[in-house]
Every structure is written in C-alpha cells, then in structure tokens.
Amino acid sequence: MHIPVLKEDVIRVLSPKRGDFVVDLTAGGGGHSVEFAKRLGKDGILVLIDWDEEMIKKAERKITEMVDEKDRPEIFFITANFADIDEVFSEIQIDRKPDIFFADLGISSFHLEEGTRGFSFRIEGPLDMRISRSIKLTAKEVVMNFSERQLADIIYRYALRKK
Ligand SMILES: C[S@@+](CC[C@H](N)C(=O)[O-])C[C@H]1O[C@@H](n2cnc3c(N)ncnc32)[C@H](O)[C@@H]1O
C-alpha cells in the first residue's frame, strides 16, 4: 500500500484553496494530488508531472476513482522531467501564474516494490534504475562499462562535492 509522505502536514502548510492553480512536479501515484484536486474544485487547475509514464497512469486512475467528477479541477497529466518545466508550460498555455508548486523528490514506493525497475533491495531484478524508460542508459551499463575514474567522478559530483 502506498502512503503519501506527510500528507496532512503538506495540505496544512500549503493550504490549497478552491480555484487555485497547483503544479505537482512529482505526481507519483497521485497521493498528494488527490488531496489537491479535492480542495481546488471545478474552478481550479492541477498540473501533474512525472518523468515515469507508469506513475502518471497510476495518478490518473487514482484521481478518477477518488475525486468527484462534478467538482474536479481542470487536470493536465504530463509525462516529463520537471527540469523541462518551461516546455511543459509553453505546451499547456495557461495564462496565469501557479499558486503552489509541490515537489516530493526521489522515487516512489511503487518503484521499490517492482523488481523489474532495479531499485528494490528486497526483490531480485536487473540493475536498471531508470525513472524514465525514454533514457537508454541503465545503471548496469554504467557499473559494468564506466572506468573507475568515471565512477569516482559520478560519486564525487553527485554525493560528495562540498560548496
Ligand atoms: C516520492 S515519489 C512522489 C510520490 C507522490 N507525492 C505520491 O503521493 O504518490 C517521487 C516521484 O518523482 C518522480 N520523479 C523523479 N525524478 C523526476 C524528475 N526529474 N522529473 C519528474 N518526475 C520525477 C518519480 O518517478 C516518482 O514517481
């Protein structure tokens, strides 16, 4: 079962209101977005972004099941890297500024529960670790083919570098 992290606190602190425009940059299974959608009502706008197409489908299913169709905001389900937010916004062409940006960074518990994705410590599977299947390079290729120097650079760059 998926439990959205700090759901009540997120809603209390961000306090989305009817008619607001909210952007969830890491929609995942839609746990937080369902709560946003319920509060925005039909005059609101909700943009859901996730780099993993499977997660966007899960989020869409969850919102369809759990948010009353008659009072659902206008919702955009978008498979994209949030780093490309400029392109996403030029595609959807909404002529107003968002009231809330929300990012719940990392991977989802769904990724950890699925062996084939290569993130799980418990379940056997290939060393894949791609969030987006549109990326060709897998973790296995990195570990098996990169030189010691390249691997050391990656660890330094992403884990050890100090300001
Ligand atoms: C911790 S989960 C979000 C869970 C979500 N808040 C929920 O309640 O279900 C993080 C999500 O961010 C996505 N993600 C990771 N890096 C991303 C990126 N660069 N752009 C867009 N989504 C990304 C992952 O696919 C994952 O679904």
Side-chain angles (χ1 to χ4, degrees), residues 2-5 7 24-34 49-53 55-56 59 62 78-84 102-111 117 131-132:
H2 174 69
I3 301 170
V5 175
K7 186 177 75 181
D24 185 344
L25 294 161
T26 54
H32 293 98
S33 266
V34 160
I49 298 173
D50 202 289
W51 205 11
D52 183 345
E53 193 176 7
M55 299 311 293
I56 284 292
K62 185 161 193 152
I78 297 170
T79 305
N81 187 330
F82 58 65
D84 299 324
F102 175 67
D104 178 16
L105 300 172
I107 54 170
S108 162
S109 57
F110 292 112
H111 289 127
R117 302 301 298 265
I131 289 180
S132 168

Side-chain angles (χ1 to χ4, degrees), residues 14-89:
L14 298 178
S15 65
K17 293 173 202 57
R18 283 192 77 80
D20 273 356
F21 173 10
V22 175
V23 182
D24 185 344
L25 294 161
T26 54
H32 293 98
S33 266
V34 160
E35 300 305 319
F36 292 135
K38 285 179 183 168
R39 286 160 179 84
L40 301 187
K42 62 181 168 37
D43 299 326
I45 303 174
L46 180 59
V47 174
L48 273 76
I49 298 173
D50 202 289
W51 205 11
D52 183 345
E53 193 176 7
E54 278 182 45
M55 299 311 293
I56 284 292
K57 284 184 188 151
K58 278 186 200 296
E60 186 163 6
R61 275 200 298 275
K62 185 161 193 152
I63 289 184
T64 309
E65 277 168 25
M66 295 183 64
V67 184
D68 180 5
E69 196 183 349
K70 289 191 226 80
D71 199 30
R72 219 179 269 162
E74 183 177 9
I75 307 181
F76 297 83
F77 295 95
I78 297 170
T79 305
N81 187 330
F82 58 65
D84 299 324
I85 187 82
D86 285 350
E87 284 164 39
V88 170
F89 269 73

